[in-house]
């Protein structure tokens, strides 16, 4: 069964005031830009600082501890995705994860990849580059920032090998029903590959229930982790058939034997970890995953939808046009709207001068609160965005 928001799984409401202490920038600004780069929490900063300090004072004396940290973070990521630790590789970012997956498949001339027009480049260029192998990339059009499952279904053909989509669209914030899409892919014997960076961390993802073959997410957005460290999930039975295109000393079994020259790939997703890990980043990512698990992704998603729902209602009351979804089932942590009497860049600059951090994207304004933001911060954004500067009821 596919677990989704609103299921009968019980969870505790989030103590927002407690978690705001984890993010000291709440004292200096209203940060509503998590779809760009999230601030890291105190525990992430302390974990990374501790790892760097350890290397400063002791060099590689605690190398075994570093290796244990890698395995601990692999397990933490697996638990949050309902995966096995062997299905998790720790990579630099979403782009690397998707590229590693795409180039490790065995392609035949005429194979097809179905994706979405307007995807973030990280989920476009790796598939577009396969055209050099005579692989065709087919793009399904969005409809005002929304994606119809039936449109994806119509794009499938007997030559389709992969459906590559974002869990949440970076511009519109449209959130796909991964479970329904996974069923469609399974029925058509197609691999579902997910760019999860704009959704995972704000919403739960169950790779088993959604029948996901591959998933990649950098840590620096909704996971509230550091840049330069992310997660690649590869289904275990599939990983065993894949040949890594980028390899190094960590790619093989027995990597501890530096004299070995036997290219036997590591089992599972570990074969995609090809070089010395980013230990400081991994310590930081581990702390970020710990925070999210502690707060609970079900509770986080409920909180995020409460905040974005309040924002949408306020924007509609002010007469702004919202680009993308408006119903909770397809909404996310991203709200994008079109300004009227000033361009998006001007509005973003004006709000930034008032200590409110948001983004301009494609001539529109994108707002992305996380679970530790408050209703007061949403109302402040609305007040400053109002053409008449009047507080909304």
């Amino acid at each position: 069964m596919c677990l989704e928001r609103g299921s009968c799984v019980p969870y505790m409401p989030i103590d927002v005031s407690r978690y705001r202490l984890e993010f000291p920038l709440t004292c200096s600004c209203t940060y509503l830009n998590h779809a760009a780069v999230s601030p890291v929490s105190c525990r992430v900063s302390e974990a990374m600082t501790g790892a760097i300090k350890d290397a400063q004072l002791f060099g590689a004396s605690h190398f075994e501890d570093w290796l244990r940290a890698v395995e601990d973070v692999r397990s933490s990521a697996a638990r949050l995705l309902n995966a096995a630790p062997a299905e998790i590789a720790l990579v630099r970012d979403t782009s690397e994860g998707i590229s590693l997956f795409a180039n490790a498949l065995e392609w035949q001339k005429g194979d097809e990849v179905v994706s979405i027009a307007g995807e973030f480049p990280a989920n476009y260029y790796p598939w577009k580059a396969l055209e050099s192998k005579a692989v065709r990339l087919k793009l399904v059009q969005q409809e005002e920032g929304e994606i119809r499952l039936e449109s994806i279904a119509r794009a499938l053909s007997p030559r389709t090998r992969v459906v590559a989509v974002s869990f949440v669209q970076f511009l519109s914030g449209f959130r796909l029903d991964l479970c329904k899409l996974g069923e469609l892919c399974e029925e058509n014997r197609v691999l579902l590959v997910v760019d999860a960076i704009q959704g995972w961390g704000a919403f739960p993802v169950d790779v088993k229930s959604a029948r996901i073959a591959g998933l990649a997410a950098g840590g620096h957005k909704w996971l509230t982790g550091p840049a330069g460290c992310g997660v690649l999930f590869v289904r275990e039975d599939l990983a065993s058939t894949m040949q890594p295109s980028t390899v190094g000393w960590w790619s093989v079994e027995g990597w501890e034997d530096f004299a070995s020259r036997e290219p036997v790939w590591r089992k599972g997703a570990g074969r995609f970890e090809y070089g010395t890990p980013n230990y400081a980043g991994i310590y930081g990512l581990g702390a970020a995953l710990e925070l999210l698990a502690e707060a609970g992704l079900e509770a986080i998603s409920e909180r995020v939808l409460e905040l974005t729902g309040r924002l949408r209602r306020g924007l509609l009351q002010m007469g702004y046009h919202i680009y993308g979804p408006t119903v909770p089932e397809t909404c996310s942590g991203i709200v994008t709207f079109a300004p009227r009497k000033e361009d998006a860049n001007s509005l973003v600059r004006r709000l930034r001068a008032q200590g409110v951090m948001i983004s301009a994207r494609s001539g529109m304004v994108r707002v992305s609160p996380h679970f530790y933001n408050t209703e007061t911060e949403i109302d402040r954004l609305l007040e400053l965005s109002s053409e008449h500067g009047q507080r909304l009821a």
Side-chain angles (χ1 to χ4, degrees), residues 41-214:
S41 63
C42 290
R43 69 178 76 182
V44 169
S45 176
E46 290 165 3
M48 296 181 71
T49 302
I52 293 170
K53 195 72 174 178
D54 182 45
Q56 178 190 29
L57 297 178
F58 303 104
S61 299
H62 299 145
F63 183 69
E64 296 297 326
D65 293 337
W66 302 351
L67 294 181
R68 278 191 290 272
V70 170
E71 297 311 313
D72 288 346
V73 175
R74 196 189 310 279
S75 295
S76 294
R79 282 193 295 273
L80 281 179
L81 289 171
N82 190 27
E87 297 175 308
I88 301 296
L90 300 178
V91 296
R92 288 187 304 177
D93 49 35
T94 311
S95 295
E96 182 178 61
I98 294 173
S99 291
L100 289 169
F101 188 99
N103 287 288
L105 292 172
E106 185 176 348
W107 297 97
Q108 302 295 326
K109 182 178 180 180
D111 284 346
E112 295 176 348
V113 175
V114 171
S115 190
I116 309 299
E119 284 279 342
F120 191 77
N123 198 34
Y124 172 77
Y125 287 122
W127 307 109
K128 182 69 174 176
L130 294 175
E131 289 182 347
S132 64
K133 300 180 181 181
V135 174
R136 182 187 179 196
L137 176 60
K138 297 169 66 175
L139 299 179
V140 174
Q141 296 299 314
Q142 299 188 39
E143 302 175 24
E144 270 295 295
E146 300 194 77
I147 301 163
R148 309 298 178 195
L149 190 65
E150 54 268 27
S151 298
I152 297 176
R154 285 195 298 269
L156 301 180
S157 80
R159 296 308 304 266
T160 305
R161 290 281 309 283
V162 167
V163 169
V165 298
S166 289
F167 178 24
V168 171
Q169 286 294 312
F170 84 100
L171 181 58
S172 69
F174 181 84
R175 177 165 52 99
L176 271 169
D177 187 326
L178 294 179
C179 290
K180 289 183 179 178
L181 180 57
E183 290 176 3
L184 174 67
C185 290
E186 185 176 66
E187 290 169 2
N188 288 273
R189 298 183 180 180
V190 171
L191 301 177
L192 174 58
V193 181
V194 178
D195 174 345
I197 193 171
Q198 290 291 9
W200 186 38
F203 296 87
V205 177
D206 186 327
V207 294
K208 294 291 189 293
S209 294
R211 302 164 174 83
I212 293 171

Side-chain angles (χ1 to χ4, degrees), residues 171 321 323 336-339 344-345 348 359-366:
L171 181 58
H321 171 70
Y323 177 73
T336 302
F337 67 95
N345 288 318
V348 168
S359 289
R361 293 289 186 273
S362 300
M364 294 178 284
V365 176
R366 188 182 70 181

Side-chain angles (χ1 to χ4, degrees), residues 298-319:
E298 285 284 348
I300 288 173
S301 65
E302 188 76 18
R303 175 69 184 164
V304 167
L305 288 178
E306 287 173 359
L307 293 172
T308 54
R310 186 183 188 94
L311 175 57
R312 284 186 178 85
R313 290 191 296 272
L315 290 170
L316 291 172
Q317 182 181 340
M318 292 161 62

Side-chain angles (χ1 to χ4, degrees), residues 203-261:
F203 296 87
V205 177
D206 186 327
V207 294
K208 294 291 189 293
S209 294
R211 302 164 174 83
I212 293 171
L215 174 148
H220 64 282
K221 296 184 187 290
W222 299 94
L223 292 177
T224 69
C229 194
V231 171
L232 170 64
F233 159 81
V234 184
R235 201 178 65 213
E236 192 165 14
D237 65 310
L238 181 62
S240 65
T241 70
M242 300 173 80
Q243 301 292 315
S245 59
T246 302
V247 299
W249 69 289
W250 253 48
S251 306
V252 298
E253 293 289 338
W255 57 266
E256 305 96 330
D257 181 1
F258 304 145
S260 174
R261 295 296 181 266

